[in-house]
Amino acid sequence: MAVETSKRTNRQQARSRQRWSSQARHNFLWGLFFTSPAIIGLLWFTAYPLIASLYYSFTSYTMFGHANWIGTTNYTDLFTDNNWWLSLSNTVYILVFSIPLGIIVALGLALLLNVKVRGLGIYRTIFYLPSIVPLVASAVVWYYVFNPQFGILNGILSIFGISGPGWLSSPDWSKPALIIMSIWATGNLMIILLAGLQDVPQDLYDAAQVDGAGPWARFRNVTFPFLTPHLLFALVTGLIAGFQYFTQVYVVTNGEGGPAGSTLISALYLYQNAFRFFKVGYASAMGWVLFFIVVVCTVLVFRFVGKRVYYGGA
């Protein structure tokens, strides 16, 4: 009797597994059907171009004709390409100044907007608006702002008796102009840091104030540790975005990278080789070199900065 009961239980469990297996298969197929547009788009517009660019980086593909395999020639040619090194140095110059300044400006705005005053929502909206302006429109506006003859910036400087520089028409001032443009749209980072400020426990502020800590001591010992994860995020994303910096430079220099190559950044030089000189294989090699540079820089950031991040008692 016990044996029959055991056999019957086993048969019921087997049918149940088969039924649930069939149901799981049915759910999987329907899920695959509904997600197929996203999967196809990911494969066609992301995975395929990624693999194709890796292949083309080892060829002399020019967009017209067949891709001839040349091995690592494109990569070795980069070491003797002066324009490549110039574009890389310009990119690093902009990154070194724009990332820290952008973080400082965004943090300052977040601290100001964290104070409870009347009309706070309006102020937050005003400071966030530049971030949602299209990049091309923003670049066109800044092109006229930096105009050395009738630009508003030099006009303001002239009121104080200061002769404004040539900005985008001067090799010495073109990169500082780009840095100022990049700081203009810090609204997204400002919102992230503002959220981090609002996550700081109020009781820690109260305890620090009872202990006699002033505003700077409270910021250094209470606020800043809780902001370190957000600052790490800002540093990493700023680093990645900096190597992809392209639209604004293309608009204000008409894709030339002038004057005298002072604004020729890596992404713009890659674009010129791919779509102006039609050296797609060479441009693909540049893209992969930039990818590995970003990976190495990101790993170094996590290695030397990430371990100093405070995760709230973790």
Side-chain angles (χ1 to χ4, degrees), residues 6-313:
S6 178
K7 290 181 178 180
R8 186 162 55 250
T9 302
N10 291 336
R11 286 195 297 269
Q12 290 175 351
Q13 292 176 350
R15 284 195 298 269
S16 177
R17 284 196 299 269
Q18 184 178 6
R19 183 171 61 253
W20 280 108
S21 178
S22 176
Q23 183 65 35
R25 191 183 307 112
H26 179 269
N27 293 339
F28 173 76
L29 292 176
W30 274 108
L32 193 62
F33 172 76
F34 285 112
T35 57
S36 58
I39 295 174
I40 294 172
L42 180 65
L43 293 175
W44 184 252
F45 295 109
T46 302
Y48 170 71
L50 191 67
I51 297 173
S53 68
L54 180 61
Y55 169 73
Y56 289 144
S57 69
F58 295 100
T59 68
S60 60
Y61 184 54
T62 60
M63 213 181 286
F64 305 102
H66 299 288
N68 299 317
W69 185 269
I70 58 173
T72 59
T73 301
N74 288 327
Y75 292 94
T76 55
D77 287 346
L78 284 175
F79 288 98
T80 58
D81 188 345
N82 293 330
N83 286 333
W84 162 250
W85 290 110
L86 175 63
S87 68
L88 200 59
S89 64
N90 288 337
T91 303
V92 172
Y93 180 97
I94 294 174
L95 281 174
V96 167
F97 289 97
S98 63
I99 293 178
L101 288 176
I103 293 175
I104 292 172
V105 171
L107 179 58
L109 292 176
L111 290 170
L112 289 175
L113 296 177
N114 195 41
V115 179
K116 292 180 173 59
V117 295
R118 180 175 296 180
L120 186 59
I122 298 176
Y123 295 129
R124 290 178 178 177
T125 303
I126 291 174
F127 284 111
Y128 181 72
L129 278 177
S131 299
I132 62 176
V133 176
L135 292 178
V136 174
S138 177
V140 171
V141 171
W142 277 104
Y143 177 78
Y144 288 104
V145 169
F146 285 124
N147 188 285
Q149 281 77 36
F150 53 84
I152 186 174
L153 186 54
N154 280 358
I156 295 174
L157 292 176
S158 65
I159 296 175
F160 299 96
I162 301 174
S163 179
W167 296 113
L168 293 171
S169 61
S170 169
D172 296 327
W173 286 93
S174 56
K175 284 191 285 290
L178 294 178
I179 293 171
I180 294 173
M181 289 175 58
S182 66
I183 296 173
W184 165 252
T186 57
N188 290 325
L189 180 57
M190 177 195 71
I191 293 297
I192 293 172
L193 295 178
L194 181 60
L197 289 173
Q198 294 178 347
D199 285 340
V200 181
Q202 183 61 39
D203 56 347
L204 293 181
Y205 285 124
D206 297 336
Q209 193 167 7
V210 169
D211 291 338
W216 170 246
R218 291 197 299 271
F219 173 79
R220 185 184 59 189
N221 298 309
V222 179
T223 306
F224 185 77
F226 279 89
L227 283 181
T228 50
H230 304 79
L231 295 175
L232 176 64
F233 172 82
L235 180 59
V236 173
T237 55
L239 184 67
I240 296 172
F243 280 100
Q244 298 175 344
Y245 191 53
F246 169 77
T247 304
Q248 297 92 322
V249 183
Y250 180 85
V251 172
V252 299
T253 67
N254 198 25
E256 298 294 337
S262 59
T263 60
L264 182 65
I265 57 175
S266 300
L268 181 59
Y269 188 51
L270 187 155
Y271 169 85
Q272 290 178 348
N273 277 275
F275 300 104
R276 181 174 297 180
F277 310 135
F278 301 110
K279 299 165 64 175
V280 178
Y282 194 52
S284 299
M286 290 183 194
W288 279 97
V289 171
L290 288 175
F291 168 75
F292 283 112
I293 291 175
V294 171
V295 170
V296 170
C297 292
T298 305
V299 171
L300 291 176
V301 168
F302 277 101
R303 174 67 178 82
F304 294 104
V305 180
K307 62 182 181 181
R308 294 176 172 83
V309 173
Y310 175 72
Y311 292 105

